Amino acid sequence: MAMFDQCDQHVTAQYNAAGNIYIQGISEERHERLAAELGVTRSALTSFFNILEQQQVPPEDLYHILRQIATSYKDLQAKLQRFTSDDPAVITLKQQARDAIEIGEFAHAEILLNDASAKDLEAARQLQETAATRLLSAAASRAANGDLKRTQLAYAEAMGYYRQAVDVVESVPTAELELAEYLNAWGFTAHEAGDYAGAQPAQERALAFFQNRFDLSDRLLEKVLETALERRVDAADLYFEHTTTDSVSL
């Protein structure tokens, strides 16, 4: 037997034929007073009792766990009350969830909150796609300025623009090809400017990408260089360039 207060009305925990605990002994009047004491609706309190039964809470712990449930319940209500969103659909779903929680319909509230979460995740995904597109566009503009400066033989300024393009696309996980292109342009321009030490890190990163992407072995690259050197040149460098073609044939 578990006492909820010092009055003569109490809650009794017993076992049914299946061996499961259930709670009895709450009068309508006591039910209402207990709901008021805990600061919850009567429907919510009924749901609390169902939780106690489902979780097979020992009789001696009933009141303590009941208050714990009520505290968590009110904390959740407060969080939902403070919730703000710029999506009217999400606001509606969370309001409906709050209403469901208010009357103890926890299963329905769970569904509504999952729906709200799904809408937010989809909106976030769309925002990420939009952000990625804009970032790639911004990087392309920086790289175009790099090309512009390189055309004017202003190599130091061109390198600065290529470096900025690299910095931008590094925040876009799917932009590996663009990253390699800008690294390659940065390294090649540094090499043209005679900054061999500055060219090496960028070129090595670009080379690693192209090797992995196009299955280029070190031996294959060496053969390309050997072929170039056979023409009796003083030095040879590898510069990677790719084109993408989409075509439709009937």
Side-chain angles (χ1 to χ4, degrees), residues 191 196 225 228-229 232-238:
H191 199 277
Y196 304 120
L225 286 173
L229 291 171
R232 297 186 179 182
V233 296
D234 294 329
D237 292 313
L238 288 174

Side-chain angles (χ1 to χ4, degrees), residues 172-188:
V172 183
T174 58
E176 293 180 337
L177 182 57
E178 290 83 355
L179 176 60
E181 288 179 352
Y182 301 148
L183 283 167
N184 198 40
W186 174 8
F188 188 75

Side-chain angles (χ1 to χ4, degrees), residues 32-73:
E32 187 169 347
R33 286 198 291 125
L34 186 56
E37 176 188 334
L38 295 174
V40 301
T41 64
R42 294 183 60 184
S43 297
L45 181 58
T46 298
S47 295
F48 296 172
F49 285 142
N50 290 336
I51 293 170
L52 293 173
E53 292 181 8
Q54 291 167 4
Q55 298 301 321
Q56 295 292 284
V57 176
E60 63 273 16
D61 294 333
L62 285 175
Y63 189 51
H64 168 70
I65 299 300
L66 183 64
R67 294 192 69 87
Q68 180 179 312
I69 292 172
T71 299
S72 297
Y73 169 86

Side-chain angles (χ1 to χ4, degrees), residues 97-219:
R98 195 174 72 189
D99 293 343
I101 290 170
E102 180 75 16
I103 59 177
E105 294 183 358
F106 298 153
H108 184 47
E110 181 181 359
I111 293 172
L112 292 167
L113 289 172
N114 280 335
D115 288 345
S117 176
K119 284 187 176 296
D120 277 331
L121 288 172
E122 175 60 21
R125 184 190 63 78
Q126 292 177 359
L127 287 173
Q128 286 178 333
E129 290 179 354
T130 300
T133 299
R134 297 299 295 268
L135 286 170
L136 290 177
S137 178
S141 296
R142 296 289 185 178
N145 262 339
D147 295 341
L148 180 62
K149 289 297 182 180
R150 184 164 167 254
T151 300
Q152 301 172 69
L153 306 183
Y155 296 125
E157 293 178 77
M159 288 164 54
Y161 277 119
Y162 291 134
R163 185 183 301 111
Q164 291 172 26
V166 166
D167 290 341
V168 172
V169 297
E170 280 184 321
S171 63
V172 183
T174 58
E176 293 180 337
L177 182 57
E178 290 83 355
L179 176 60
E181 288 179 352
Y182 301 148
L183 283 167
N184 198 40
W186 174 8
F188 188 75
T189 304
H191 199 277
E192 285 183 317
D195 182 8
Y196 304 120
Q200 184 175 353
Q203 288 180 320
E204 286 180 347
R205 289 180 63 188
L207 175 60
F209 168 80
F210 283 110
Q211 282 183 295
N212 292 331
R213 180 68 174 268
F214 300 106
D215 195 24
L216 302 175
S217 66
D218 289 340
R219 180 55 191 153

Side-chain angles (χ1 to χ4, degrees), residues 219-238:
R219 180 55 191 153
L220 177 60
L221 298 179
E222 288 172 2
K223 287 180 64 176
V224 173
L225 286 173
E226 288 172 1
T227 300
L229 291 171
E230 286 174 357
R231 300 177 181 273
R232 297 186 179 182
V233 296
D234 294 329
D237 292 313
L238 288 174

